[in-house]
């Protein structure tokens, strides 16, 4: 009898938050009464099918360990790498090599910096992604006109031409794929020198397109400092301060 696939979260949380600035990495900034990371992890656990969440942190990061101490559904892995893709692959391979995740189990890779994921969007992703051979990702359709730009001598950003936006979607996370397939796809891409900013792009190189499942604005990524206030407003959270 075929083994029923399980679902696990994998949260890359090993970034330095350079664009965000501040004294601490953005995943540890307070958003309401909890850290950004706690919101993102709890958002993944909102679906009962997600059995456990593995958080990949920088090798010298003890903050996450303290945050989730005693929580049997969350395990921190000090396996952060140079880039997001390295953190994802390091975590994924650790889980596979230690049989913590089966080769055909689903792994939902979700940015620590996306605390606003809704339970409804997560449910849709799992419901629909589980039925699609190449997995799935949340994304939102591009609504703005897009410009390809150049930098002028004084540093001004100049619009050069407009990029057609039909069939353009902005990828969010979670992005869900079979564990072994994702590991192999990422490894192959890195071996070939590809620069991967998300997980779906590795799967796409296999010639099989992941399914796009509509995301939502509250699931935006906290990148710049002002994004923290924006997400707090979108989630109706009171912000005592912005650290
Ligand atoms: N070496 C890295 C870089 C990023 N991430 C994680 O990947 C997610 C998305 O990355 P990004 O928003 O770029 O975060 P940072 O790399 O921290 O931001 P910056 O590029 O501004 O430094 C974040 O949850 C971040 O913690 C990671 O696990 N390991
Ligand atoms: C994975 C991602 O959030 C999808 O949009 C995005 O690619 C992460 O980019 P970052 O530069 O690592 O934040």
């Amino acid at each position: 009898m075929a083994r029923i696939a399980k679902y696990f979260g994998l949260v890359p949380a090993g970034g330095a938050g350079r664009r965000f600035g501040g004294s601490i990495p953005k995943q540890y900034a307070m958003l309401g009464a909890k850290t950004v990371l706690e919101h993102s992890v709890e958002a993944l656990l909102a679906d009962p099918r997600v059995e456990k969440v593995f958080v990949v942190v920088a090798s010298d990061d003890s903050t996450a360990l303290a945050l989730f101490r005693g929580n049997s559904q969350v395990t921190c892995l000090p396996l952060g790498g140079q880039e997001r893709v390295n953190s994802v692959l390091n975590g994924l391979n650790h889980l596979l090599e230690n049989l913590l995740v089966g080769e055909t189990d689903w792994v939902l890779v979700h940015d620590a910096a996306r605390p606003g994921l809704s339970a409804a969007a997560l449910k849709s992703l799992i419901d629909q992604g589980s039925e699609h051979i190449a997995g799935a990702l949340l994304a939102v359709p591009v609504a703005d006109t897009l410009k390809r730009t150049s930098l002028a001598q004084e540093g001004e950003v100049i619009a050069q031409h407009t990029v057609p936006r039909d069939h353009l979607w902005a990828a969010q996370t979670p992005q869900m794929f079979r564990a072994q397939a994702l590991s192999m796809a990422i490894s192959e891409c890195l071996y070939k020198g590809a620069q991967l900013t998300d997980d779906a792009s590795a799967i796409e190189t296999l010639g099989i397109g992941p399914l796009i499942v509509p995301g939502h604005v509250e699931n935006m990524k906290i990148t710049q400092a002002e994004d923290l206030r924006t997400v707090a407003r979108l989630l109706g959270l009171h912000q005592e301060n912005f650290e």
Side-chain angles (χ1 to χ4, degrees):
M1 183 175 141
R3 177 179 174 276
I4 297 175
K6 298 178 179 181
Y7 300 85
F8 297 95
L10 181 64
V11 175
R18 292 180 187 85
R19 289 168 286 178
F20 184 80
S23 55
I24 55 171
K26 61 189 178 184
Q27 54 269 37
Y28 299 123
M30 292 307 290
L31 177 62
K34 289 183 280 193
T35 62
V36 167
L37 175 60
E38 287 170 288
H39 283 284
S40 301
V41 169
E42 289 169 14
L44 273 181
L45 290 170
D47 193 298
R49 290 169 285 188
V50 178
E51 298 201 7
K52 199 173 174 66
V53 174
F54 296 93
V55 183
V56 182
V57 297
S59 54
D60 59 352
D61 181 335
S62 58
T63 305
L65 274 170
L67 279 180
F68 298 108
R69 183 168 288 120
N71 184 336
S72 61
Q73 282 194 292
V74 182
T75 297
C76 297
L77 303 173
L79 297 170
Q82 182 65 32
E83 303 294 335
R84 176 189 184 278
V85 64
N86 306 110
S87 298
V88 171
L89 187 59
N90 292 347
L92 195 49
N93 286 344
H94 173 85
L95 299 178
L96 287 164
E97 289 157 13
N98 291 280
L99 307 179
L100 297 169
V101 167
E103 291 187 355
T104 58
D105 285 338
W106 291 103
V107 173
L108 287 83
V109 186
H110 183 50
D111 293 334
R114 291 183 188 269
L117 171 67
S118 72
L122 178 60
K123 180 182 186 303
S124 297
L125 178 72
I126 295 177
D127 289 349
Q128 297 178 51
S130 304
E131 301 303 316
H132 190 72
I133 188 168
L137 66 145
L138 292 183
V140 289
V142 170
D144 302 311
T145 294
L146 299 178
K147 304 294 180 186
R148 174 73 61 194
T149 65
S150 61
L151 267 184
Q153 275 188 335
E154 300 303 313
E156 312 97 287
V157 178
I158 307 298
Q160 291 303 334
H161 67 265
T162 295
V163 176
R165 70 179 178 208
D166 43 341
H167 306 303
L168 282 186
W169 290 64
Q172 298 184 333
T173 66
Q175 304 193 0
M176 69 178 274
F177 306 106
R178 303 279 189 182
Q180 182 64 16
L182 181 59
S183 171
M184 289 172 61
I186 291 177
S187 300
E188 181 75 16
C189 286
L190 293 183
Y191 176 74
K192 291 177 179 174
Q195 300 286 322
L196 299 177
T197 56
D198 79 343
D199 319 291
S201 44
I203 297 291
E204 290 153 21
T205 63
L206 302 177
I208 40 175
L211 177 71
I212 294 274
V213 175
H216 54 105
V217 66
E218 295 84 357
N219 189 33
M220 64 177 276
K221 183 162 65 74
I222 294 175
T223 305
Q224 312 286 347
E226 61 268 24
D227 296 335
L228 188 65
R229 287 188 283 278
T230 301
V231 170
R233 286 196 191 98
L234 286 169
L235 300 180
L237 294 174
H238 177 63
Q239 277 291 83
E240 284 296 330
N241 56 45
F242 299 120
E243 272 304 304

